[in-house]
Amino acid sequence: MIWLTGIGGNRFVLNAEHIETVESLPDTTITLTNGRKFIVKESADEVIRLVIEYKRKIFGLAEIIRELRQGR
């Protein structure tokens, strides 16, 4: 989940797992796998950075859990 800002200034959380495309049209437009679109204030590069940060946290947590299960 990533925090984003809508064009009206409202902050909301978006499930990064459902992002299909991120475009600059010129506003940053995110299209989800279900076809729903969100226009946000963040740049496409910022959205990508947030998604990468989110994925690193998730995969890092998965690795810690795996190690704990293995008794490390």
Side-chain angles (χ1 to χ4, degrees), residues 1-4 13-22 30-33 47-48 50-55 58:
M1 306 289 271
I2 59 173
W3 279 99
L4 296 169
V13 178
L14 184 71
N15 186 339
E17 301 295 333
H18 294 278
I19 295 174
E20 185 170 323
T21 62
V22 178
I30 300 170
T31 304
L32 303 183
T33 55
V47 172
I48 292 166
L50 290 167
V51 170
I52 291 170
E53 183 179 300
Y54 162 76
K55 296 277 188 174
I58 295 303

